[in-house]
Amino acid sequence: MEDCIFCKIVKGEVPCKKIYEDEETLAFLDISPVAKGHTLVVPKKHVVTLVDIDEETLKKVIVVVKKLTIAANKYSEGVTVGQNNNRASGQVVDHVHFHIIPRTEGDGLDPWPRVHYVEGEAGKIAEEIKSLL
Ligand code: AMP
Ligand code: ZN
């Protein structure tokens, strides 16, 4: 896709600090890392969100996500794997990508703010989600 920054990185038109590459997948350092070593894993094929990716490609990408997670675990105390879908979630780049974020105890990156269910609400929401599968 012409205007997509990650497609440009895949094509070599924009530089990146490449970590891993195979026929379907590319992994490179995030330019604005949450932590040192923060890596992005993308399919080479342009797809916008996780909803759009075909399962064969997704399987290949997730294996690379695992590979990067194993590596990150060797130089950090833990790893967060993240994936944003659509603007409300914080997706800025419209080419599906997984964040591999090395973590250290007390790095201040968590926790997410939590909400609470009122009586009966969790059951209703669980049913609603199940009906959408
Ligand atoms: P998201 O908010 O999930 O869409 O994440 C997009 C990520 O892409 C952000 O963490 C950015 O720092 C990163 N990013 C944007 N442009 C580049 C680039 N040229 N090279 C590497 N990472 C980038
Ligand atoms: Zn793209």
Side-chain angles (χ1 to χ4, degrees):
M1 215 237 183
E2 255 173 41
D3 287 337
C4 171
I5 184 73
F6 289 174
C7 282
K8 287 182 180 168
I9 289 174
V10 166
K11 284 189 257 172
E13 294 169 6
V14 166
C16 74
K17 293 279 182 285
K18 194 187 292 180
I19 304 287
Y20 175 86
E21 181 173 21
D22 61 31
E23 272 186 21
E24 280 95 5
T25 315
L26 182 68
F28 51 92
L29 289 185
D30 194 296
I31 205 165
S32 180
V34 168
K36 289 177 184 175
H38 178 175
T39 300
L40 302 174
V41 181
V42 306
K44 288 186 172 177
K45 189 191 293 189
H46 180 87
V47 275
V48 179
T49 74
L50 196 58
V51 172
D52 308 307
I53 194 167
D54 67 88
E55 291 186 7
E56 278 314 301
T57 308
L58 178 60
K59 282 179 199 163
K60 301 216 163 111
V61 171
I62 207 74
V63 167
V64 177
V65 168
K66 180 177 178 184
K67 197 187 274 292
L68 268 292
T69 301
I70 291 168
N73 263 314
K74 290 178 185 165
Y75 69 84
S76 65
E77 295 169 16
V79 181
T80 293
V81 174
Q83 207 286 307
N84 294 322
N85 282 269
N86 301 325
R87 292 286 174 270
S89 71
Q91 183 175 12
V92 173
V93 177
D94 287 339
H95 181 132
V96 68
H97 51 279
F98 287 84
H99 295 262
I100 315 288
I101 303 173
R103 302 294 307 275
T104 45
E105 202 68 46
D107 61 15
L109 295 179
D110 55 22
W112 283 333
R114 304 287 170 162
V115 295
H116 300 282
Y117 293 117
V118 296
E119 184 69 31
E121 196 182 10
K124 273 193 205 137
I125 289 176
E127 286 310 316
E128 199 178 319
I129 295 169
K130 277 154 64 179
S131 77
L132 296 171
L133 295 177

